[in-house]
Amino acid sequence: MSALLELRDVEARYGPVKALHGVSLSVEEGSIVAVLGANGAGKTTILRAISNTVRRSGDIVFAGRRLGRAGPDAVMRLGIAHVPEGRGIFRELSVWDNLRLGAYVRRDRAAVAADAERMLGHFPWIARRRGQAAGTLSGGEQQMLALARALMGRPRLLLLDEPSLGLAPLVVREIFRILAELNERDGLTALVVEQNASVALRVSQSACVLEVGRVVLAGPSTELREHDAVRRSYLGY
Amino acid sequence: MALAAFSWQELAQQVVSGLASGGIYASLALALVLIYRATRVINFAQGELATLTTFVAWSLTNHGLNKWVAFPLTLLIAFAGGVALERVVIRPVERAPVLTVVMLTIGLLIGLNGLTAWIWGGETRSFPSLFSTGTVDVGGVAVSYADIGVIGVTLGAVGLISLFFRFTKLGLGMRAVAANPETSPLVGIRVGWMLALGWGLAATLGALSGILVAPTVFLEPNMMQAILLYAFAAAILGGLESPLGAVVGGLLLGVILNLAGRYVPEVGGESRLAVALAVILIVLTIRPSGLFGRTVGRRV
Ligand SMILES: Nc1ncnc2c1ncn2[C@@H]1O[C@H](COP(=O)(O)OP(=O)(O)OP(=O)(O)O)[C@@H](O)[C@H]1O
Ligand SMILES: [Mg+2]
């Protein structure tokens, strides 16, 4: 079986600063892959390299197709939804407009409406707050809204950047529970960047550890959970 | 100098004709705001663009085209011109600092002004009005058809644009780009085309304001320069980021200028500009975000 997404020797730089030094990883269809690493390791940059929002080189193959020079909007149209670091909420727009924007490129109105209903099933509070400016939501609500927005695009691959950042443990559990549910029930494929390794290793099937722009460890999540270095550096026991 | 006797009828007349000129400022102010919201760029060429397209309208009618055909056609040409200008001139500097782009629009101002003068010459021409002359009695107040027409057309145009923003997918995309240009491509929006569309709409509004104002100020290459300044004042009064603010600011400024010109003896035709500048200064000191400045903070 070939992978849905494959990175081969990907490098990325911000001006003169090189942030990725030849990263290779693959994401199987229907799996959740976690990327762990300390601050500044290059986790965000991996996702940016995929959505082409950073200068990068190397091969990125999605569904058998090289992404090449496709711009971020074209990458999204191919089926990759990127929830960026900081969530990328449209603050002045209403909660409902934020949700609708996730389906911006879709033409199947009836299915979009059905998907919106499903999102309200996952996040009932959205219905009550639909007219409110999204910038006035709490951090946790914004994260859930960003996730719902991404799912509205029916992506074949979801890129999530630190969904747990700054959120209460209960909200983190809720977000990862929904992610696991979508993965099991609908076969959602996701590449999730996380510093909260214990949660990330629980929902993901495989994971890799990034250090200063290089993958230093990769394997099934169950194995990484038992790995000494991972336990010491990321799980804290 | 003694003031002429005060009458409520005259006050009402002054307010109505103030609203009419205000409508013209409002459409040009809205043009400025549409571009500013999306890119933080103040398009100094907006007035010259309006002048040039008004000359196009003049040429079309001069070649025998009925004005009811010529003017809508001009709006279409303006739209296409605005889109093309963004794609060809602005796009190469899309990632440049805002100041660079603003300088470029100042260059455009000079270039377009020269182009207009070169094609049509510098003389002043009369321009056909969309509306018939004469007045109609509204509750004892004589209101000119032209004033009613200008107010109606500008409010109609503004209404159409707000419906477009509210109820169409493209409108949603343009609002998204104004709210968060970094995330917009991540939901599949082609940001560059949204910006071009914004320039197209702005140019269309500018052409509309030119067509509406030309019958009274007469057509010549520098026709819109004072109007652009009033439009700045209106946009700042309403809040540079608020389309609604631009419209309310425009109407309000029109009324303020008219009333000041009539009832403050020192304010004659020439010193209206000074009043507009005073409005700008007062707003920037007391409430820099304008009457309708946004309440939700912008992430930087
Ligand atoms: N816009 C930028 N300009 C210059 N350097 C940058 C920029 N963004 C990131 N970097 C650098 O690239 C490297 C990787 O950054 P990245 O944001 O990918 O790290 P990260 O693993 O996501 O960290 P964190 O956990 O703090 O989010 C860091 O050394 C960082 O300083
Ligand atoms: Mg990061």
Side-chain angles (χ1 to χ4, degrees):
Chain A
M1 180 170 127
S2 82
L4 177 62
L5 177 79
E6 189 142 10
L7 274 64
R8 286 184 217 121
D9 220 16
V10 170
E11 302 195 339
R13 54 174 65 245
Y14 298 95
V17 184
K18 211 171 193 184
L20 297 180
H21 305 266
V23 166
S24 300
L25 62 83
S26 66
V27 180
E28 299 296 327
E29 183 125 42
S31 75
I32 294 183
V33 175
V35 179
L36 311 178
N39 293 121
K43 305 182 297 297
T44 295
T45 308
I46 289 191
L47 301 191
R48 287 198 184 138
I50 298 166
S51 64
N52 199 1
T53 44
V54 66
R55 252 185 65 205
R56 42 100 159 130
S57 60
D59 271 0
I60 301 181
V61 181
F62 175 68
R65 203 193 130 138
R66 283 198 58 198
L67 291 185
R69 294 168 60 84
D73 58 292
V75 170
M76 192 277 164
R77 283 160 198 269
L78 287 173
I80 300 180
H82 182 177
V83 179
E85 191 168 58
R87 303 162 188 130
I89 288 293
F90 298 89
R91 301 178 61 89
E92 295 97 59
L93 302 193
S94 70
V95 167
W96 194 248
D97 280 345
N98 270 268
L99 191 70
R100 290 204 296 149
L101 276 166
Y104 185 81
V105 301
R106 289 175 60 183
R107 304 250 173 270
D108 45 345
R109 283 184 175 219
V112 169
D115 283 354
E117 282 306 313
R118 284 200 314 143
M119 290 310 139
L120 295 183
H122 288 303
F123 310 106
W125 59 269
I126 289 182
R128 296 192 300 275
R129 320 284 286 277
R130 53 190 294 161
Q132 185 178 337
T136 62
L137 295 174
S138 77
E141 288 165 339
Q142 290 187 16
Q143 186 63 63
M144 291 186 248
L145 181 59
L147 177 61
R149 178 187 73 207
L151 294 172
M152 284 297 291
R154 285 213 181 161
R156 289 188 68 186
L157 172 67
L158 179 65
L159 307 178
L160 270 186
D161 198 334
E162 298 210 44
S164 77
L165 193 71
L167 305 186
L170 215 68
V171 183
V172 175
R173 282 226 319 260
E174 174 66 7
I175 283 180
F176 278 94
R177 187 189 62 72
I178 291 169
L179 215 56
E181 186 187 315
L182 291 169
N183 172 247
E184 274 160 38
R185 209 190 49 202
D186 308 337
L188 175 77
T189 312
L191 182 60
V192 183
V193 159
E194 251 310 334
Q195 289 202 50
N196 186 336
S198 64
V199 181
L201 289 176
R202 231 176 300 133
V203 296
S204 61
Q205 282 87 32
S206 66
C208 64
V209 176
L210 211 60
E211 264 172 33
V212 271
R214 287 190 177 82
V215 175
V216 293
L217 200 62
S221 300
T222 45
E223 276 173 34
L224 286 196
R225 265 204 306 248
E226 306 305 322
H227 195 279
D228 281 344
V230 173
R231 286 171 63 149
R232 243 178 292 116
S233 315
Y234 299 102
L235 296 171
Y237 57 84
Chain B
M1 190 178 85
L3 269 181
F6 176 84
S7 88
W8 286 106
Q9 274 83 2
E10 201 204 343
L11 177 68
Q13 258 159 23
Q14 293 291 345
V15 169
V16 171
S17 64
L19 287 175
S21 23
I24 291 164
Y25 310 151
S27 26
L28 200 61
L30 186 55
L32 292 172
V33 165
L34 286 185
I35 290 179
Y36 181 81
R37 263 163 62 89
T39 53
R40 317 274 109 186
V41 167
I42 290 184
N43 179 11
F44 282 94
Q46 202 72 65
E48 300 310 307
L49 211 49
T51 308
L52 186 125
T53 41
T54 309
F55 267 101
V56 170
W58 178 85
S59 284
L60 290 176
T61 52
N62 214 35
H63 282 82
L65 217 56
N66 180 298
K67 61 188 176 190
W68 294 102
V69 179
F71 293 170
L73 186 60
T74 303
L75 298 185
L76 282 180
I77 293 171
F79 179 80
V83 169
L85 206 57
E86 200 282 337
R87 290 287 81 181
V88 175
V89 179
I90 303 298
R91 186 170 192 203
V93 293
E94 216 168 57
R95 283 165 211 286
V98 165
L99 193 61
T100 311
V101 187
V102 172
M103 298 303 283
L104 186 63
T105 71
I106 293 176
L108 262 179
L109 181 164
I110 297 164
L112 289 174
N113 183 275
L115 183 69
T116 307
W118 181 67
I119 298 178
W120 285 282
E123 74 249 48
T124 302
R125 302 163 200 272
S126 66
F127 189 88
S129 171
L130 269 177
F131 313 106
S132 47
T133 52
T135 61
V136 57
D137 186 90
V138 183
V141 180
V143 180
S144 76
Y145 287 119
D147 283 354
I148 297 177
V150 169
I151 295 171
V153 167
T154 47
L155 290 186
V158 167
L160 276 181
I161 284 192
S162 80
L163 289 179
F164 166 77
F165 275 117
R166 200 165 300 236
F167 294 112
T168 70
K169 200 162 214 183
L170 276 178
L172 177 65
M174 287 183 70
R175 285 189 290 136
V177 170
N180 191 338
E182 295 85 33
T183 308
S184 294
L186 299 183
V187 296
I189 297 172
R190 295 188 172 103
V191 174
W193 280 106
M194 293 298 131
L195 299 182
L197 192 56
W199 273 72
L201 285 179
T204 309
L205 278 166
L208 185 69
S209 66
I211 287 171
L212 290 176
V213 81
T216 34
V217 301
F218 299 109
L219 185 59
E220 49 97 12
N222 300 324
M223 163 181 93
M224 294 304 273
Q225 281 167 10
I227 313 284
L228 183 68
L229 199 95
Y230 295 140
F232 277 141
I236 287 169
L237 178 59
L240 261 175
E241 306 211 359
S242 164
L244 177 65
V247 175
V248 175
L251 295 174
L252 204 56
L253 186 76
V255 173
I256 291 173
L257 290 180
N258 237 28
L259 293 186
R262 173 64 185 81
Y263 295 110
V264 182
E266 285 76 22
V267 182
E270 292 303 312
S271 43
R272 286 161 64 96
L273 276 175
V275 175
L277 285 173
V279 167
I280 294 180
L281 285 179
I282 292 170
V283 175
L284 288 182
T285 337
I286 298 178
R287 197 183 154 85
S289 59
L291 296 175
F292 292 80
R294 64 176 83 190
T295 45
V296 182
R298 186 186 171 83
R299 195 176 52 91
V300 266

